[in-house]
Each structure stands twice: as structure tokens, then as C-alpha cells.
Amino acid sequence: MAGTVTVMQPLMSSPTVWSSGTFDCFNDMASCCCALWCYPCFVGSTLSDYNENCGLICCDGGVPSPIHLALRYGVRKQYGIQGSLCDDWWQVCCCTACSMCQVAREIKIRKMQQQTTTVINVQPVNVQMPNPGYNPNPGYNPNPGYNPNPGY
């Protein structure tokens, strides 16, 4: 009989807050640089990481748009992060690029946490132990010099 064992590892101590702050851009320099030098590409990549269609991205130069607000709100709701739509709006309007970097970091962190779950397939092994009193070939003597009946 085969079975599956799932090993879960503790992921975060508090899943109801953002894993990094809005201005913690130095925690992920690649995202920060991408947002700084090619913001539309960065937003498209972040949407793709979130499994959303990135066909609606236009060259907005970091100006807040409904896409930014919807992405931030969606990530917050999906991962159970505390906050409100008003908080999301302020974050997106005050510093669009930093807010989007925070969202991108959150998506990356949550995806890495999902990958730490390990599934192991367990296959039972049927091992038969030899019976010490059982001799399948009674005429066979593995020790030819030994005679248990010397009187024969």
C-alpha cells in the first residue's frame, strides 16, 4: 500500500502583515533597479508573477493607475495582510514605485514559502525474514565436513 506524507514547515510568525516595509527596497535590489530603470517592464513582470495578464500595461512612467491599486489590493487580500483599500490607495499614490516593489517582494516571498512544502512518496517494503528452523533443501549440507549423525 503506497501513501503520501506531506511535511509542512512553519513559514512566518505573523502572516497578517507585509513581510517588508514600503521603503525596504534594498531588500531586493534587482526589483528596485528594474522598477527604477524600466518601470512598465517591472509592473508587467510583477503581474506575471501574480499570474495575471500583463497585456494592459502601458508606459505610464510610474504614475498611479487602477492596475497598481488592484494588484496591491489583490495581493493583500489573497495573503490575508491587514489594511484597507484607503491604505492601499495612499501607498500607491504617495510612492508608486516603492509600493510596487513591496508587492513584488511579497509575491516572491510567498512563492518561496509555498515551495518549502515537501511531498514524500512512501512505498512500504515487504521484507521476509528467514525462518532459522526451515530448510528448503534437506539433502543439502552447506558444511560438508560436518556430520550431525556420525553413526551412519
Side-chain angles (χ1 to χ4, degrees):
M1 174 191 311
T4 301
V5 177
T6 303
V7 179
M8 299 292 289
Q9 298 174 353
L11 302 177
M12 292 181 72
S13 59
S14 178
T16 60
V17 295
W18 291 94
S19 59
S20 62
T22 305
F23 301 107
D24 290 340
C25 293
F26 294 109
N27 291 351
D28 184 3
M29 285 301 292
S31 293
C32 182
C33 290
C34 186
L36 178 65
W37 288 309
C38 188
Y39 188 76
C41 296
F42 172 70
V43 173
S45 173
T46 303
L47 282 169
S48 178
D49 289 344
Y50 191 59
N51 297 324
E52 285 293 326
N53 185 359
C54 58
L56 297 175
I57 299 299
C58 61
C59 188
D60 58 7
V63 176
S65 74
I67 293 172
H68 301 109
L69 184 59
L71 179 61
R72 184 179 176 85
Y73 176 80
V75 167
R76 189 174 54 77
K77 284 298 182 184
Q78 179 179 348
Y79 298 128
I81 299 170
Q82 58 191 349
S84 68
L85 184 59
C86 188
D87 292 337
D88 295 334
W89 185 80
W90 277 110
Q91 289 286 330
V92 168
C93 287
C94 290
C95 188
T96 305
C98 292
S99 173
M100 287 303 296
C101 284
Q102 181 185 31
V103 169
R105 287 190 305 273
E106 193 69 33
I107 292 169
K108 284 181 184 178
I109 288 169
R110 299 297 176 127
K111 280 189 172 188
M112 283 191 300
Q113 289 174 347
Q114 290 174 350
Q115 293 173 355
T116 60
T117 301
T118 307
V119 176
I120 304 169
N121 286 326
V122 178
Q123 299 291 331
V125 178
N126 188 8
V127 178
Q128 294 187 2
M129 299 299 292
N131 185 350
Y134 174 71
N135 186 357
N137 189 356
Y140 174 71
N141 186 358
N143 187 355
Y146 172 73
N147 187 356
N149 296 321
Y152 289 125

